[in-house]
Amino acid sequence: MSFLTTRLSAVTEGVRIALDAVRSNKVRAGLTILGIAVGVFVVVSMSAAVHGINESVAKDFASTGPTTFFVSRYPISFENCDGSENSCKWLRNPPLRSGEIAALRRLSTVEAVGERLDWSAKVRFRSQELPSAGVEGYSAEWTTISAPEVYPGRAFTQAEARTGARVAVISTLMAERLFGEVDPIGRTIAMNDVPFEVIGVFKDNSSFLSGGERPKAVVPVTALVRYIGARESNIGLAVKPRESVTPALQRDLAIDDVTATLRGLRGARPSQESSFAIITQDKLFETYNQIFGLFFLVMIALSGVGLIVGGVGVVAIMMISVTERTREIGVRKALGATRATILWQFLVEAATLTGIGGAIGLFVGWIGSLLIRNFTPINASIPPLAVVVALGASAVTGILFGMLPASRAARLDPVEALRYE
């Protein structure tokens, strides 16, 4: 019990001395705290943003199912491409044709093949206008593959999709901005001055990777091409394999069938590369990691710089503190204080300084995450692990950089220290 009491007393005294140092040396202590706060702020803010992005991407993939894969005219790659066909061979890839899509739908390993085409248009309802809203064209398989939450209203039917009916299912965000409190079902909106009837409202689960949440309308892909002028050559496919007790194997079988069918229809020789791209969710995750790997490196670099700046400040302010309190250290040693006691006291003081900076950085980072959540498409939230890492990193920085001055204080000769003026 006496050991715990002694340690608690040492911690309390170290904290008190650190707070006194902050009050008496505001500039030095302020610079130290600022460096630590910047490092922690960067860690917390970036962690909140990345956590929000990860959650939205996971929801986006979950909505399409883990085995769904995509067929695109162009691959997802980061190769050196200057826009010419020599450096971008995939520019010569032909678009996906209706006959090819029909052939894929007949495959025994495939449950559904959905067409998708992204576009944008000016959308207006009475005096309310969205200059550049997202408009997505889908085939009737949209509800089978993505399973959107449509309420109120309904999704378009197979007949409406086939004939290119001018009907639209709008996102909740578009409904709020165009209609406010007015019921949108049955109302007519103008997309590039072409009238479309609103038949449903859906909850948009788009992730940051797919452009984030924005006012959006979904229409039959045929209507998007016919009335709004979208280029049919950019149509992509989402392929949902049939359910199986071994989903991964079923997905691979479906990919093999789709690949063989398209290559056969296009007359590709065995030695030729495919003139289309098969994109699995694993590939999308890989691309996602490549995109955000740079952000992670920047986060680590910036937080590291902030912590180093704060650590250098800890060394400076603690060295000054040791010099100013040399006589006090001599008195304590003369009264029986051990080297470990002196070392512990100064380490607690250093950790207190960096802990204050960590707490400030954590608070500012929390404010930053709220701003990111409210003013960007990223649903930022601070994961508990980020809080632990941020505060732990600030405390460890104080201990590591405070070790040198604390060791110097512990090694002082009590006789020489008492003579110090």
Side-chain angles (χ1 to χ4, degrees):
M1 185 67 178
S2 59
F3 175 79
L4 292 176
T5 304
T6 302
R7 286 301 183 192
L8 182 60
S9 176
V11 170
T12 304
E13 183 178 2
V15 172
R16 179 184 59 78
I17 293 173
L19 295 178
D20 289 339
V22 172
R23 286 192 290 267
S24 59
N25 303 288
K26 294 182 177 62
V27 176
R28 291 201 304 260
L31 291 175
T32 300
I33 290 171
L34 178 62
I36 299 296
V38 168
V40 172
F41 163 73
V42 172
V43 171
V44 172
S45 297
M46 294 293 290
S47 296
V50 170
H51 187 252
I53 293 170
N54 286 340
E55 284 194 342
S56 66
V57 170
K59 289 180 180 178
D60 199 16
F61 285 136
S63 67
T64 60
T67 60
T68 298
F69 60 93
F70 308 92
V71 182
S72 174
R73 180 181 180 183
Y74 305 126
I76 297 178
S77 63
F78 293 97
E79 63 187 47
N80 185 19
C81 175
D82 59 10
S84 66
E85 290 191 0
N86 291 329
S87 62
C88 316
K89 296 180 180 178
W90 41 264
L91 287 176
R92 295 194 294 266
N93 290 352
L96 295 164
R97 302 298 185 187
S98 58
E100 296 171 332
I101 299 172
L104 297 183
R105 286 179 174 144
R106 292 192 294 267
L107 294 175
S108 61
T109 54
V110 170
E111 179 180 339
V113 177
E115 302 169 55
R116 172 173 175 165
L117 180 58
D118 293 337
W119 206 250
S120 63
K122 179 180 67 177
V123 181
R124 177 173 48 83
F125 174 71
R126 295 178 181 171
S127 60
Q128 299 298 320
E129 182 176 297
L130 302 173
S132 182
V135 183
E136 296 178 356
Y138 285 94
S139 57
E141 289 80 7
W142 173 45
T143 54
T144 302
I145 296 174
S146 296
E149 299 178 30
V150 180
Y151 183 82
R154 61 175 178 86
F156 45 80
T157 64
Q158 181 76 41
E160 289 171 329
R162 186 176 60 254
T163 60
R166 289 182 296 182
V167 293
V169 185
I170 64 175
S171 67
T172 52
L173 186 58
M174 177 175 284
E176 291 171 3
R177 295 191 180 179
L178 285 182
F179 295 95
E181 299 298 324
V182 177
D183 183 7
I185 305 301
R187 306 280 180 173
T188 299
I189 59 176
M191 297 188 191
N192 286 352
D193 298 324
V194 178
F196 278 76
E197 179 186 355
V198 177
I199 60 172
V201 177
F202 75 99
K203 183 178 180 181
D204 187 14
N205 293 319
S206 294
S207 70
F208 179 83
L209 192 63
S210 58
E213 186 176 2
R214 57 182 293 206
K216 186 182 299 181
V218 173
V219 302
V221 65
T222 307
L224 183 63
V225 173
R226 183 180 299 167
Y227 300 110
I228 303 182
R231 286 191 289 270
E232 189 175 10
S233 58
N234 291 331
I235 284 179
L237 305 178
V239 181
K240 183 177 182 179
R242 291 195 182 278
E243 293 185 4
S244 170
V245 293
T246 54
L249 177 60
Q250 187 66 24
R251 183 200 64 179
D252 292 342
L253 290 174
I255 290 175
D256 290 343
D257 283 351
V258 168
T259 302
T261 300
L262 286 178
R263 286 180 62 86
L265 291 173
R266 296 186 174 192
R269 297 178 181 178
S271 60
Q272 289 181 311
E273 294 184 4
S274 297
S275 57
F276 55 90
I278 301 290
I279 304 168
T280 63
Q281 298 201 29
D282 294 338
K283 179 64 176 178
L284 288 174
F285 270 119
E286 180 184 334
T287 303
Y288 165 75
N289 289 329
Q290 289 178 354
I291 292 173
F292 288 99
L294 180 61
F295 287 97
F296 298 151
L297 292 176
V298 171
M299 177 183 71
I300 293 171
L302 291 178
S303 59
V305 169
L307 293 176
I308 290 173
V309 170
V312 172
V314 168
V315 173
I317 195 171
M318 293 303 296
M319 281 295 190
I320 294 172
S321 179
V322 170
T323 302
E324 291 176 345
R325 292 158 57 195
T326 300
R327 189 175 181 84
E328 174 195 330
I329 294 169
V331 171
R332 294 192 64 186
K333 283 197 167 187
L335 294 176
T338 63
R339 284 189 176 187
T341 301
I342 301 298
L343 181 68
W344 173 262
Q345 175 187 332
F346 278 90
L347 287 180
V348 169
E349 185 176 339
T352 300
L353 282 173
T354 55
I356 294 172
I360 294 174
L362 181 61
F363 175 75
V364 178
W366 174 70
I367 297 296
S369 69
L370 292 180
L371 294 176
I372 293 172
R373 176 193 289 266
N374 292 327
F375 295 101
T376 72
I378 303 172
N379 189 24
S381 61
I382 301 176
L385 182 60
V387 177
V388 175
V389 170
L391 295 180
S394 62
V396 170
T397 300
I399 293 172
L400 290 178
F401 284 87
M403 186 63 71
L404 177 62
S407 299
R408 179 185 173 187
R411 290 195 306 268
L412 285 175
D413 181 81
V415 176
E416 295 296 329
L418 287 171
R419 290 176 178 175
Y420 182 81
E421 296 294 339

